[in-house]
Amino acid sequence: MGTSASQLPKDLLSEYQELTFLTKQEILLAHKRFTELLAKDDRSCSNPRLPMSRILTLPELKSNPFKERICLVFSTSDNKDGSLTFEDFLDLLSAFSDSATSDIKSHYAFRIFDFDDDGTLDRKDLERLVNCLTGDTDETRLTSDEMKQLINNILEESDIDKDGTVNLSEFQHVISRSPDFVSSFKIVL
Amino acid sequence: MSWARERQTLDAGQIHYGPHQSLRLRERPSNSAVQRPPQFNWNADQPEEGAKGRPRNLKELPLPMELKKAIRQVQQMKVPVMSNWQSWKISKSKTMKRFLEESREVLAYVAPWRRTLHKIGGHFGGGVQSYFLFLRFLVVLNFLSFLLIAGFVLAPSIVFQSSPGNSETQNSIDQIECMIYSPEPQSLSVFYQYFLDLLTGMGFMEYSYLFYGFYNNTEMMNLQLSYNIPMAYLLTTAFYFIFCLICIVLRMGAVIRDVVKTGGRAVGGYSTLVFTAWDYGLQGNRATNLKQNNIRYQLQMDLEEERIRKVAASLTMAQTVRLYSLRAFLNLVVFGLIGAAFYAIFKATQFSQSQTGGDFLDLIVQYLPSIVITAANFLVPFLCDKIALLERHSPSTTVILALLRAVFLRLVSLGVLLFTLWNGITCNGVTESAACSVCQYNHKQYPCWETRVGQEMYKLTVFDFITVIAVMILVEFPRRMLVDHCPCKLAQFVGRQEFVVPQNVLGLVYGQTVVWTGALFCPLLPAINTIKFIIIFYCRKITLFQNCRPADRTFRSNSSNFFFLLVLLLGWSLATVALIYAAVMIHPSMGCGPFRFLSMMWSVVPDSLQLLSNSSRDFLYFMGSQAFCIPLFVLLCVVLCYIAALASIYGKTVSLLQSQLKMEGRDKQFLVKRIKELNSASRGKKR
């Protein structure tokens, strides 16, 4: 990124344009927001990493119940702390952008919902997912009976091969039949 | 990341999370196998690359940027063997793509209210946003329509009005009596008269560019240029309708593509809800909490609904009969209510048409049909909602039923108004009766009936607008003040008002239908409507942010979008039928308007066809003949059948694949069981 922190080189910009679903303006805006979040002394370093706690101060992510998962999924950091480089950040915005395909969105949605990173959504993942959706406090959680019934129903509907978990292709099958998903899986800066 | 290591990870296999990995991973959840990033198979892309000449779009790979960059480098290295033609094609497609992207950017930048819509979506979710998107669509549609009309009718009329050398066709006509039409207002008028005129479209408004009656039957005939105002008037209106149809169908197409892709039915309510319910665009704690409440409420409702359905399935015969007879009876009541509303509109229109005068009381009489229609549209759906509670349908059915009733009421009440007017104009369709025999229409009461119909539509538009503003200032705002500042229980119980999307959309559709109906008789109505909708946009935005809390039930934006457009299309067809009937069946008034000497509006088209050169006329006749239309019709039918067959085959394939998946799953489970058995058996032997 060189010396001028607020400016992206032109060839890099066009490369980003080719590799993401973002437009030029969106990439520039993303870069601006990203450098704003960086600490002063980090700006000069060549490929700075933004720690998760800083990223979560973005108003677009701040109140999202899946915010930590989103960071963890898009982070390429080796020690799994959810920190993002600028390119990771672009990947995130690209997946959540308006023009990303339903395939790529559902892929990332699956990984966000896969809380234990084991490649399938099992009962525990589903329970955590539902808790995120309804709010994870004592008075907002579903009762355990309701939760049990709900998870049974979900598995009944979408676990086609009846192995007790929802895998990616089953998940994408559900998503492909829900027209609203693409419009709701969206974060725009 | 070093190149070698990258290579290794990338070569390891296909993109992970395949269906077959799941079992293995569950059996052995060791961290090293699990926490691996998604991988990419270098060799898998090659056949595709060879076939298409262009590798798969890198954007669509769910990989981190670093890997994408590496893949891109490799692809660029592989490219060189290529003919000039191919490389030219690729570079062309690249520039094309860039151009498209850029133009899309510009469009997005030009599109009005982008930030506002974004903010609304962030605070109130996709459902409410879809209402505003719909409103913006209508504003743009109306504005373009206005440009169309201004360009082809208004501007030429103004120019020719002042320029000499135009010829007004003056046929000798024997029915002098029919031509009496003197709309000029009395010279002395009270000061508030202007205000009244503005509201009713009478007086100084009546004889202006606003209404049909003012336009002349000018024909411009120069050597360089010939322009026929009546022809332009009719064709512009026709084109306006076709234009609107195209816009709606295009928009519908975009929506329906998703609906068709989803197979028309959801896989299951719960999984769809849980997997797709979250709106990632939401910002702020308040919105998030509301959304969470919404989802919890919906989940609980659905679970509850399922319980109710189980109860309903176990009902005894007698209970079922009782329930259904109750529903039938309530339906009768609803239809009685709707019928009563129609009768009231009919009577009110008749009464207001028979009165003429000029004072303030008259204003109310003038507005009586609008008032009755608005009141009916407010009261009857309200009662229907209350009745729907007794019917004990499932909640989703209740919503749809209430909407359908409201749509029916809205559109048919407009139809009743038109029917009443038609009754008066054509003497109940009996042209031989005393009042109509001279001019084919009731010339005493309606010297220029088109202007009259235009005024009616103008009044409906204005009144609709006034109600929106009045409701906002007099009801919504005080209610909010009361709820916010009055601690008493009642106010807290009533609570802030909900922003109910479907009802609001219906209001818009109704307004648009009125505009379409009046388009032929009041050419500037689209312009008025543009302004009206723009103001409504801001008003709604203000009420939304100041006075409203989001609805308890969320509306699925995409599926309801389709429904909105369908209703809009219904309104469009109602207006089209009415206008085609007016243009073809009713004698145009002889005292005013561009068609004053014709037996019907449509006859201007065949007349001007006579002026064309022989070959082009023959071509147009051929286009309209059966020899052309029937084959075209047959061809379209064949295409339609083909597409329908294709769709059904896709549906079958989906279900086939589904059953295949099931079979494979069973196989897999069987094998896993076998392995376990063998394992334990061999372990037993070892011991």
Side-chain angles (χ1 to χ4, degrees):
Chain A
M1 252 158 278
T3 44
S4 58
S6 62
Q7 208 64 49
L8 277 171
K10 209 167 183 188
D11 51 335
L12 203 57
L13 187 64
S14 70
E15 188 175 35
Y16 287 149
Q17 249 174 300
E18 201 169 317
L19 295 180
T20 63
F21 289 98
L22 303 171
T23 62
K24 202 162 140 194
Q25 266 77 28
E26 284 168 331
I27 294 172
L28 290 176
L29 179 65
H31 190 249
K32 191 169 147 251
R33 298 288 292 275
F34 190 81
T35 34
E36 275 169 8
L37 286 179
L38 277 176
K40 273 265 159 56
D41 42 330
D42 277 346
R43 283 186 201 177
S44 51
C45 94
S46 69
N47 195 9
R49 265 183 188 284
L50 200 54
M52 181 152 82
S53 55
R54 301 277 307 166
I55 295 159
L56 297 185
T57 56
L58 280 175
E60 285 81 6
L61 281 175
K62 207 171 173 182
S63 53
N64 194 322
F66 298 103
K67 55 190 173 187
E68 279 104 6
R69 282 301 304 163
I70 293 175
C71 286
L72 285 171
V73 164
F74 284 95
S75 167
T76 52
S77 155
D78 286 333
N79 41 5
K80 313 251 170 316
D81 55 359
S83 60
L84 299 184
T85 61
F86 177 58
E87 294 186 348
D88 297 341
F89 189 57
L90 280 187
D91 277 331
L92 189 159
L93 290 177
S94 168
F96 279 103
S97 80
D98 246 337
S99 42
T101 58
S102 147
D103 256 6
I104 205 154
K105 281 178 186 263
S106 56
H107 177 98
Y108 280 113
F110 183 79
R111 288 177 60 189
I112 290 169
F113 296 160
D114 183 13
F115 287 88
D116 50 10
D117 283 319
D118 68 348
T120 62
L121 302 185
D122 49 25
R123 283 178 163 272
K124 269 192 204 119
D125 287 327
L126 290 175
E127 194 174 329
R128 285 177 74 178
L129 167 58
V130 173
N131 278 339
C132 275
L133 287 176
T134 59
D136 203 1
T137 58
D138 278 336
E139 63 262 33
T140 55
R141 237 175 265 154
L142 295 182
T143 63
S144 63
D145 272 352
E146 282 172 330
M147 182 66 88
K148 206 170 154 199
Q149 198 192 347
L150 178 63
I151 290 178
N152 280 341
N153 285 334
I154 292 171
L155 289 176
E156 177 96 349
E157 285 165 0
S158 50
D159 180 20
I160 299 170
D161 61 7
K162 301 289 171 224
D163 64 352
T165 62
V166 180
N167 60 37
L168 177 64
S169 55
E170 286 161 353
F171 180 79
Q172 284 183 329
H173 181 67
V174 174
I175 298 281
S176 72
R177 303 199 147 222
S178 147
D180 297 317
F181 173 70
V182 175
S183 58
S184 65
F185 195 78
K186 202 160 72 176
I187 296 177
V188 183
L189 280 187
Chain B
M1 207 185 255
S2 74
W3 176 252
R5 196 182 141 209
E6 212 168 275
R7 209 37 227 226
Q8 188 200 342
T9 11
L10 291 169
D11 269 340
Q14 260 291 356
I15 294 166
H16 90 198
Y17 290 141
H20 299 289
Q21 241 167 336
S22 58
L23 268 176
R24 185 174 58 82
L25 288 174
R26 261 187 329 128
E27 295 292 309
R28 193 171 52 88
S30 75
N31 245 10
S32 63
V34 165
Q35 299 268 340
R36 195 177 281 168
Q39 295 134 9
F40 178 72
N41 186 352
W42 291 85
N43 300 320
D45 249 17
Q46 274 176 346
E48 219 177 316
E49 206 174 323
K52 275 188 170 176
R54 183 77 200 139
R56 202 174 136 199
N57 207 341
L58 284 176
K59 288 177 189 177
E60 287 163 24
L61 295 175
L63 299 172
M65 185 83 77
E66 232 171 321
L67 297 187
K68 277 195 270 188
K69 271 185 182 172
I71 294 165
R72 184 161 171 263
Q73 260 173 1
V74 171
Q75 274 176 355
Q76 275 171 347
M77 274 189 277
K78 278 184 189 167
V79 168
V81 195
M82 207 181 279
S83 67
N84 278 348
W85 168 249
Q86 275 172 323
S87 61
W88 180 76
K89 238 167 62 177
I90 286 177
S91 72
K92 205 186 136 196
S93 77
K94 245 187 197 168
T95 35
M96 193 65 196
K97 214 188 266 169
R98 188 151 301 167
F99 173 74
L100 279 180
E101 258 168 31
E102 253 156 46
S103 54
R104 204 151 18 118
E105 257 171 63
V106 169
L107 262 185
Y109 200 74
V110 170
W113 302 320
R114 208 165 40 102
R115 299 304 305 179
T116 315
L117 285 170
H118 183 61
K119 200 172 150 204
I120 290 170
H123 282 85
F124 292 90
V128 175
Q129 196 186 20
S130 72
Y131 166 83
F132 283 89
L133 281 171
F134 187 67
L135 184 51
R136 184 176 71 172
F137 166 68
L138 287 182
V139 167
V140 173
L141 186 73
N142 275 303
F143 183 67
L144 291 179
S145 316
F146 163 67
L147 286 186
L148 191 73
I149 290 169
F152 287 102
V153 180
L154 193 64
S157 294
I158 294 172
V159 170
F160 297 156
Q161 205 90 32
S162 54
S163 78
N166 56 5
S167 63
E168 265 186 39
T169 334
Q170 291 286 350
N171 289 11
S172 61
I173 206 150
D174 14 270
Q175 298 124 321
I176 298 295
E177 194 186 341
C178 300
M179 296 177 60
I180 303 165
Y181 175 57
S182 51
E184 293 298 335
Q186 305 89 338
S187 51
L188 262 176
S189 54
V190 229
F191 69 98
Y192 62 80
Q193 189 66 38
Y194 285 105
F195 176 68
L196 291 186
D197 287 348
L198 199 66
L199 285 180
T200 56
M202 294 176 122
F204 80 97
M205 296 277 280
E206 181 165 350
Y207 203 64
S208 70
Y209 284 107
L210 194 56
F211 291 113
Y212 168 93
F214 186 72
Y215 289 85
N216 242 322
N217 56 349
T218 322
E219 261 182 72
M220 191 72 180
M221 282 290 202
N222 277 343
L223 279 177
Q224 304 92 6
L225 172 93
S226 83
Y227 203 90
N228 186 339
I229 293 272
M231 182 83 175
Y233 195 94
L234 194 66
L235 288 190
T236 308
T237 314
F239 189 75
Y240 165 52
F241 271 81
I242 294 169
F243 171 75
C244 289
L245 180 66
I246 291 172
C247 284
I248 297 172
V249 168
L250 278 183
R251 221 180 142 83
M252 246 175 148
V255 178
I256 207 172
R257 220 169 285 143
D258 291 333
V259 176
V260 168
K261 228 194 281 172
T262 57
R265 67 188 175 88
V267 175
Y270 299 103
S271 28
T272 324
L273 185 64
V274 168
F275 291 155
T276 68
W278 190 257
D279 198 333
Y280 290 79
L282 288 179
Q283 295 177 19
N285 280 331
R286 185 169 154 249
T288 325
N289 287 339
L290 271 169
K291 183 76 185 173
Q292 284 177 334
N293 287 343
N294 253 333
I295 292 175
R296 191 179 59 251
Y297 175 77
Q298 214 167 331
L299 283 173
Q300 281 169 341
M301 282 293 278
D302 282 353
L303 292 172
E304 178 80 12
E305 206 169 299
E306 190 181 276
R307 218 175 45 75
I308 290 175
R309 222 175 298 140
K310 275 187 190 145
V311 169
S314 63
L315 276 184
T316 60
M317 192 64 187
Q319 280 168 318
T320 322
V321 167
R322 206 181 305 151
L323 184 64
Y324 275 89
S325 49
L326 178 72
R327 281 182 191 171
F329 170 71
L330 288 174
N331 263 317
L332 275 182
V333 172
V334 168
F335 276 107
L337 275 173
I338 293 178
F342 290 160
Y343 186 72
I345 294 166
F346 178 73
K347 275 288 159 203
T349 316
Q350 258 187 350
F351 177 72
S352 100
Q353 290 295 311
S354 61
Q355 304 283 317
T356 44
D359 61 355
F360 197 75
L361 194 68
D362 189 56
L363 181 72
I364 294 169
V365 173
Q366 284 288 333
Y367 264 98
L368 203 58
S370 310
I371 294 171
V372 173
I373 286 181
T374 309
N377 277 320
F378 177 73
L379 272 181
V380 176
F382 181 73
L383 291 175
C384 283
D385 282 353
K386 292 280 163 268
I387 288 172
L389 290 181
L390 295 175
E391 284 181 318
R392 275 190 281 166
H393 284 296
S394 60
S396 47
T397 324
T398 312
V399 171
I400 294 173
L401 211 63
L403 262 182
L404 282 180
R405 282 170 183 161
V407 170
F408 181 70
L409 181 73
R410 283 263 178 182
L411 294 185
V412 179
S413 59
L414 194 61
V416 169
L417 176 72
L418 286 176
F419 174 75
T420 321
L421 285 171
W422 172 81
N423 240 347
I425 291 164
T426 62
C427 314
N428 305 331
V430 191
T431 38
E432 286 79 32
S433 63
C436 294
S437 59
V438 188
C439 318
Q440 314 277 310
Y441 61 89
N442 192 347
H443 69 279
K444 289 230 174 60
Q445 203 185 340
Y446 300 95
C448 186
W449 62 265
E450 290 94 342
T451 297
R452 201 56 179 274
V453 177
Q455 280 168 340
E456 236 19 82
M457 295 304 136
Y458 174 78
K459 276 185 280 188
L460 282 179
T461 305
V462 171
F463 190 74
D464 191 39
F465 180 54
I466 294 174
T467 0
V468 168
I469 304 285
V471 165
M472 181 185 136
I473 295 174
L474 300 180
V475 180
E476 290 169 357
F477 196 63
R479 177 171 168 183
R480 184 221 147 185
M481 297 300 271
L482 211 67
V483 172
D484 281 7
H485 300 291
C486 169
C488 70
K489 273 214 173 109
L490 185 69
Q492 293 310 317
F493 174 72
V494 171
R496 280 185 169 206
Q497 171 209 3
E498 267 182 33
F499 192 85
V500 194
V501 177
Q503 262 76 341
N504 277 309
V505 167
L506 271 187
L508 292 184
V509 170
Y510 167 75
Q512 188 56 43
T513 309
V514 168
V515 169
W516 277 326
T517 316
L520 189 62
F521 310 118
C522 178
L524 290 188
L525 212 50
I528 296 172
N529 208 38
T530 312
I531 299 166
K532 174 183 147 185
F533 277 168
I534 289 176
I535 298 176
I536 285 186
F537 187 97
Y538 286 110
C539 290
R540 285 275 182 247
K541 193 188 125 193
I542 294 169
T543 34
L544 187 66
F545 280 105
Q546 300 299 322
N547 307 338
C548 285
R549 67 191 160 92
D552 281 338
R553 279 214 142 242
T554 43
F555 278 85
R556 301 243 147 184
S557 51
N558 231 335
S559 26
S560 45
N561 263 345
F562 182 68
F563 184 75
F564 297 163
L565 288 169
L566 200 70
V567 176
L568 192 63
L569 204 61
L570 258 177
W572 182 89
S573 1
L574 175 76
T576 317
V577 169
L579 285 201
I580 288 180
Y581 182 83
V584 175
M585 300 299 284
I586 308 180
H587 198 291
S589 41
M590 298 179 192
C592 64
F595 305 100
R596 59 186 79 167
F597 301 118
L598 297 169
S599 60
M600 57 184 187
M601 293 183 191
W602 176 250
S603 55
V604 68
V605 176
D607 285 358
S608 15
L609 275 186
Q610 300 300 327
L611 299 175
L612 286 174
S613 72
N614 264 339
S615 53
S616 47
R617 186 174 45 191
D618 285 348
F619 176 71
L620 285 176
Y621 275 139
F622 172 69
M623 295 286 277
S625 71
Q626 289 153 347
F628 181 77
C629 286
I630 292 176
L632 185 73
F633 181 69
V634 170
L635 189 75
L636 286 180
C637 282
V638 169
V639 171
L640 197 70
C641 282
Y642 171 71
I643 290 172
L646 216 60
S648 78
I649 282 174
Y650 284 147
K652 268 180 202 153
T653 320
V654 167
S655 59
L656 222 109
L657 287 173
Q658 224 167 19
S659 63
Q660 208 173 327
L661 251 176
K662 245 179 233 174
M663 293 283 284
E664 271 181 19
R666 238 173 268 153
D667 279 0
K668 204 165 63 180
Q669 271 170 322
F670 174 73
L671 286 176
V672 168
K673 217 187 273 171
R674 287 286 299 170
I675 291 169
K676 266 188 186 163
E677 277 172 17
L678 286 175
N679 263 346
S680 58
S682 66
R683 237 177 259 159
K685 263 183 198 170
K686 271 180 192 168
R687 267 177 211 165

